[in-house]
Amino acid sequence: MVKDTKPLAYAANNGYQQKGSSFDFDPSAPPPFKIAEIRASIPKHCWVKNPWRSLSYVLRDVLVIAALVAAAIHFDNWLLWLIYCPIQGTMFWALFVLGHDCGHGSFSDSPLLNSLVGHILHSSILVPYHGWRISHRTHHQNHGHIEKDESWVPLTEKIYKNLDSMTRLIRFTVPFPLFVYPIYLFSRSPGKEGSHFNPYSNLFPPSERKGIAISTLCWATMFSLLIYLSFITSPLLVLKLYGIPYWIFVMWLDFVTYLHHHGHHQKLPWYRGKEWSYLRGGLTTVDRDYGWINNIHHDIGTHVIHHLFPQIPHYHLVEATQAAKPVLGDYYREPERSAPLPFHLIKYLIQSMRQDHFVSDTGDVVYYQTDSLLLHSQRD
């Protein structure tokens, strides 16, 4: 009797490895499709950028923020402040996402409009627009690459072992990593040099220096305005209206961006050398469901297609993802459904921080490893 080898060939060609009589999907296996096939599966209208629609989201968010400020000042009681701060911080995060679209050029086809709106939105929440835009472009161009990626890059074992024990504990113990974004803007990640504010930083080519200087000036203007307002009103009022919401925005940013690349129940690969490609790196990103927050933060959790095609406007990402899923197959990881608020994601953040500490200094396909000593200290 001749054994049918077609199922074995199909499995091997679609990212599966045989273990005994069963097959396990291997996310590091080269995908059996090209990026052009994913692109072709996405409806043409999903690529169309409507500046008026984009501006309508800006207007919506700004009106909500203004209404929250007016209500907080008018009623001025401790119960309202407890409600105001997390909601306003979430709205700051929504502004960041719209500025993020400007940085990708998915806000409109006009570079001038993108730059103008991006500067206004990001400066208002103390983000240097061009500095962030360029480093974020580097992140997208090199996603999943150990040496060249820019966002939540794994530490190599050598760099990790050179960290003192307190730095390790703080870096991998929740909630401390949720407050690192401002530090990253000034000094980047361990093992990397440069600042998002310095036009001469090695983050930027010489041709970008003027834009970096403009964004740094806008950031300094906003920071100075906050200092001025604290003098003519009161530092406590500015802290409540802006300071605490700002740190909640930072927590959202670090929480969401980390979980886009970490915390999946199946460990996902990181690449270097010849094993890396734009497609393979992009397929290591993870979609997340944020419940009610999906609409508020402009579907930023729909992240795989965004990473592969950042030109697609946020309001088309869900449809584009649904269209691409038949091509992606098991390389697309269906997000766990969320309750109205995404508390379920906290456990994945904590698990990842306890287990994903460093990657090997060698090898072109690597996975996170765990420092058992740090893991025990986190549990104690």
Side-chain angles (χ1 to χ4, degrees), residues 58-68:
V58 175
L59 179 63
R60 183 194 76 175
D61 290 355
V62 170
L63 287 176
V64 172
I65 288 171
L68 288 169

Side-chain angles (χ1 to χ4, degrees), residues 292-306:
W292 287 347
I293 309 298
N294 286 331
N295 180 262
I296 295 172
H297 71 184
H298 309 292
D299 289 315
I300 194 63
T302 311
H303 208 64
V304 177
I305 289 300
H306 165 68

